[in-house]
Amino acid sequence: MTSIIKVDTIQTAAGGTPTASSLGISGVGKIGQVIEATNGSMTTITSTSYFDTGLTASITPSSTSSKVLITINFATTMDGGSNGTLGFGAIYHNDTTNLRERIAVYDTDFGNVGPACSIQTLHSPNSTSSQKYNLYGKTLNASSQFRPNGTGSIILMEVLA
């Protein structure tokens, strides 16, 4: 047997519209703004230290309690150097802080392996000033090249508290 409850309107005891907080549900946020930037001519990296690829975007949070969800999508190949060399991508904040990194590409005896890569993290800047986020890249072998190909994108979403 299946039970169905149908109603036209639900109201709080005070006659208002229920919200997540009035129902005792916490941890629910709304998206305040979305910023997207793309770059089809990112910089080739030949460094064993992280270096800016040129894929960047900035967002100005509306509150110090807001968080920023950063998603970077890109593709890259590895060229030169020795087989087994890895290439890494990282999300940098204000050109100084590595927030998240991952292996993006590697070189094998059979050629380069560099599928599409996505890096995502949630950041709490605790500020209402402009926040800059970039894709940085590096190789483990200075004679290799971390070569972004195609158009990369960075999406910033302000998550309201």
Side-chain angles (χ1 to χ4, degrees), residues 9 36 42 45-46 63 67 99 123-124 132:
T9 306
E36 180 182 26
M42 291 181 281
I45 308 298
T46 58
S63 169
K67 297 181 186 310
L99 299 177
H123 183 236
S124 299
K132 179 180 169 187

Side-chain angles (χ1 to χ4, degrees), residues 6-17:
K6 293 183 178 183
V7 298
D8 291 324
T9 306
I10 297 176
Q11 293 183 340
T12 64
T17 302

